[in-house]
Amino acid sequence: MSSDLNWWRGGVIYQIYPRSFFDSNGDGIGDIPGVIAHLDYIAELGVDAIWLSPFFTSPMKDFGYDISDYKDVDPMFGSLHDFKHLIEEAHQKGLKVIIDQVYSHTSDQHLWFKESRESRDNPKADWYVWADPKPDGTAPNNWLSLFGGPAWQFDTRRGQYFMHNFLASQPDLNFHNPDVQNAILDTARFWLELGVDGFRLDVVNMYFHDAALTDNGLADSPEKQFVGADKVNPFTRQYHVNQMCRDENLDFLKRLRAVMDEFPGTTTVGEIGAPGGMKYMAQYTSNGDKLHMAYTFELLEKEHSVDYIRGTIERVEQNLGDGWPCFALSNHDVERSASRWGKDADDPKAYVRTTLGLLATLRGSPCIYQGEELGLPEAEVPFELLQDPFGIEFWPEFKGRDGCRTPIPWLNEAMGGFTSGGHPWLPIEPIHRQLAVGEQGVDTESTLNFSRQLLAWRREHPALKDGRFEWLDSDKDLLLFRRVNDQESLVIALNMTSRELPVEVSGSAQTVPGFQAATGDRIPAYTLAAWTE
């Protein structure tokens, strides 16, 4: 294991969606022993850490993001003993382990909520966000749920509404109550004591709400638009600063950081979906006393023009100050980047490689979503096989998240080598089978072997891990920047277009695996080029 306490600063993170990684027992659902079985594959990829999406006890209404026991493993995924074994095996292979933590809400099956809803005067009565109806019996205010409809559900036992930013079975915790904060910090300490190396914090900007329950206004300008929700969703029509992104969040994040600091070498990365997300990204990572890293949804949107990518990076660099970003182009919530960005490319395979090159060279910590290293496109899941409640609600304009969550293809066979059973929880995408690990592993020109070579090349250049970022003058369609630290100065040129572009760079040209070399003053289409100065 690395002794570098700042390993996360520029470390490459590999996101695992356990349900779809590998099924070890033939029940059609991926599990923790399945992750252990393929740790060598991950280590050989050349990443520094794995991040596991939720595997905690849950009724699975939102596939693990509705937790009913923060301190145990759902039997579907294995046991706490299996998870401890995973930590041991990962650490032996030089991999850090980051796990999802879902603090803003629980399942309605959590013992805390079961007690809270029993009466208005029990010990946990104020652990969730409860409010009386308006005089006409309607919800307390106009807040909306991300998953459709009001953010309020009436409960007959208390005669009150409870708040839910997501499903009605996912009630929001009341972080204005110090007891709730203490219970959550106790949860964090439990996993840190087990040996995890960090947390990915789900919807980290949604912990607090406006205690006065002030109505949301209209999202009547671009800066008020929520980033990270499909535009067919009525949720995007409101300006959600009363429902989330409250200043009180900063004090709680400082408390959480103090707990993390008890365990040197651990880290946090926060997910921020919000209007003006860059502002909160900067706020939450400033001064070294809150989050270590954060990411917003700008590079997870469908827009991918060179101007948009440059503008996003510029906003990060201008706003973040002493904070540190985490960049992802794909995850378990959005259409895979190979389809979302690359489906209209003249050479989709070459375009995918260039996007991976972008991810590997920006200032920040890259996060690769399982299958991204294979160049997997979005899977087609018919309505009758959908599992995602988000997609079922908004079909067909928004097909939900199942298309990016289908099982990883290990072999080119009927069940993709994912399961020995006949019924995976989501169907195996036929196109994915042709891109299986077994097929790509023996093909020296495959996207998988390219990804391995790219990450190995990245490790050879210390400036790409923690160096500063400086823009250089270039053609408007070229991304040209310098990464520099005390050890080296490296110029990166990224041509994400389908045509050759002019480039003016001095320095010693580097061979970047998998890309054509820039010649003279030209850089080929879909190419990453580099020069040392």
Side-chain angles (χ1 to χ4, degrees):
M1 291 292 293
S2 170
S3 60
D4 179 11
L5 298 183
N6 289 324
W7 62 267
W8 52 269
R9 196 175 178 90
V12 181
I13 302 167
Y14 183 84
Q15 183 193 353
I16 296 173
Y17 193 69
R19 295 181 71 95
S20 296
F21 194 66
F22 182 71
D23 169 22
S24 71
N25 60 6
D27 66 357
I29 297 171
D31 45 46
I32 290 174
V35 175
I36 296 171
H38 286 289
L39 282 176
D40 282 339
Y41 167 80
I42 300 169
E44 289 168 5
L45 189 59
V47 303
D48 299 285
I50 57 174
W51 148 33
L52 287 93
S53 291
F55 51 83
F56 316 104
T57 310
S58 167
M60 300 293 164
K61 297 290 183 63
D62 190 24
F63 298 99
Y65 284 88
D66 50 328
I67 296 172
S68 56
D69 187 343
Y70 278 115
K71 296 182 180 180
D72 205 355
V73 174
D74 194 282
M76 151 187 319
F77 296 120
S79 66
L80 202 54
H81 173 77
D82 291 328
F83 180 71
K84 292 176 183 177
H85 185 206
L86 170 61
I87 293 177
E88 293 168 1
E89 290 293 314
H91 285 175
Q92 286 179 12
K93 298 179 190 302
L95 296 169
K96 306 287 188 178
V97 179
I98 296 171
I99 63 173
D100 239 308
Q101 293 284 270
V102 187
Y103 292 157
S104 75
H105 55 271
T106 70
S107 164
D108 61 0
Q109 299 305 303
H110 198 294
L111 291 177
W112 297 348
F113 187 72
K114 288 183 176 182
E115 182 175 352
S116 185
R117 77 190 315 179
E118 283 301 315
S119 68
R120 299 190 185 195
D121 57 3
N122 68 75
K124 290 186 172 57
D126 194 35
W127 277 44
Y128 291 82
V129 184
W130 293 96
D132 290 329
K134 289 182 178 179
D136 64 0
T138 56
N141 62 23
N142 72 345
W143 296 355
L144 296 175
S145 161
L146 259 163
F147 283 2
W152 297 96
Q153 179 70 27
F154 188 73
D155 184 82
T156 56
R157 273 160 284 196
R158 288 185 48 146
Q160 290 181 304
Y161 284 90
F162 64 84
M163 177 186 165
H164 59 93
N165 274 314
F166 299 94
L167 295 174
S169 57
Q170 293 171 289
D172 272 63
L173 284 163
N174 178 20
F175 271 74
H176 291 285
N177 185 332
D179 291 338
V180 170
Q181 295 187 34
N182 293 337
I184 290 298
L185 295 176
D186 179 64
T187 293
R189 189 173 279 107
F190 171 84
W191 292 105
L192 292 166
E193 288 173 348
L194 276 185
V196 303
D197 302 290
F199 300 135
R200 180 266 188 183
L201 299 166
D202 187 60
V203 293
V204 71
N205 56 303
M206 293 188 183
Y207 296 166
F208 284 84
H209 64 287
D210 171 37
L213 303 183
T214 308
D215 275 354
N216 286 327
L218 292 176
D220 53 7
S221 60
E223 63 271 14
K224 294 180 180 180
Q225 291 285 339
F226 185 88
V227 178
D230 196 275
K231 300 304 182 284
V232 304
N233 191 341
F235 185 87
T236 62
R237 300 177 190 176
Q238 290 186 354
Y239 183 36
H240 294 279
V241 291
N242 295 317
Q243 198 168 339
M244 60 187 73
C245 301
R246 309 300 297 174
D247 288 344
E248 297 96 326
N249 211 24
L250 297 172
D251 288 332
F252 174 74
L253 293 180
K254 290 177 182 178
R255 294 192 67 196
L256 177 60
R257 179 59 176 261
V259 171
M260 304 302 295
D261 288 346
E262 295 173 21
F263 300 85
T266 60
T267 192
T268 51
V269 53
E271 174 199 36
I272 300 172
M278 292 291 181
K279 165 189 172 183
Y280 300 105
M281 188 175 173
Q283 198 176 52
Y284 288 6
T285 59
S286 64
N287 301 325
D289 62 353
K290 296 177 283 293
L291 299 181
H292 298 79
M293 301 178 280
Y295 71 88
T296 64
F297 281 78
E298 274 81 354
L299 293 183
L300 293 166
E301 294 281 293
K302 290 185 177 180
E303 173 61 54
H304 62 285
S305 67
V306 174
D307 281 347
Y308 178 82
I309 293 171
R310 180 186 286 110
T312 297
I313 298 168
E314 286 177 349
R315 287 193 297 276
V316 170
E317 292 299 319
Q318 291 168 3
N319 287 288
L320 204 53
D322 63 349
W324 189 255
C326 179
F327 284 111
L329 303 184
S330 292
N331 68 16
H332 63 290
D333 281 333
V334 299
E335 183 181 5
R336 285 185 174 277
S337 60
S339 295
R340 193 182 75 251
W341 282 15
K343 62 185 175 184
D344 297 325
D346 291 346
D347 186 341
K349 184 176 178 179
Y351 185 83
V352 164
R353 293 184 177 202
T354 313
T355 61
L356 288 168
L358 173 69
L359 197 57
T361 54
L362 292 177
R363 185 180 77 97
S365 297
C367 189
I368 298 171
Y369 178 50
Q370 64 180 43
E372 199 170 2
E373 76 281 8
L374 302 173
L376 297 186
E378 185 82 350
E380 290 292 332
V381 181
F383 180 78
E384 62 272 16
L385 295 180
L386 281 187
Q387 302 291 326
D388 181 17
F390 203 178
I392 292 169
E393 177 71 22
F394 288 103
W395 180 278
E397 285 77 15
F398 173 63
K399 296 182 179 180
R401 302 165 294 178
D402 287 336
C404 65
R405 296 178 175 184
T406 56
I408 290 296
W410 296 97
L411 299 171
N412 187 0
E413 58 183 40
M415 292 298 106
F418 166 73
T419 180
S420 59
H423 300 285
W425 80 284
L426 280 173
I428 306 295
E429 170 59 56
I431 296 174
H432 287 185
R433 288 167 45 192
Q434 301 167 31
L435 300 171
V437 173
E439 299 292 311
Q440 295 203 38
V442 296
D443 178 2
T444 57
E445 300 300 316
S446 69
T447 301
L448 171 58
N449 280 314
F450 161 78
S451 299
R452 290 168 173 165
Q453 294 163 7
L454 177 68
L455 293 181
W457 173 79
R458 184 181 186 274
R459 287 196 302 275
E460 295 171 358
H461 293 282
L464 294 178
K465 176 174 170 59
D466 60 5
R468 299 187 306 278
F469 181 100
E470 301 170 2
W471 283 111
L472 300 175
D473 291 337
S474 69
D475 183 278
K476 65 180 180 63
D477 290 326
L478 185 70
L479 297 173
L480 187 66
F481 52 87
R482 177 184 289 118
R483 298 293 310 282
V484 57
N485 66 3
D486 294 340
Q487 296 169 273
E488 70 171 345
S489 178
L490 192 67
V491 173
I492 299 293
L494 273 159
N495 181 0
M496 302 183 70
T497 75
S498 59
R499 64 188 187 283
E500 190 179 67
L501 292 176
V503 62
E504 294 183 18
V505 177
S506 60
S508 176
Q510 298 291 301
T511 299
V512 185
F515 292 107
Q516 296 183 57
T519 56
D521 59 356
R522 312 294 291 179
I523 180 169
Y526 302 132
T527 293
L528 164 65
W531 297 261
T532 53
E533 295 181 309

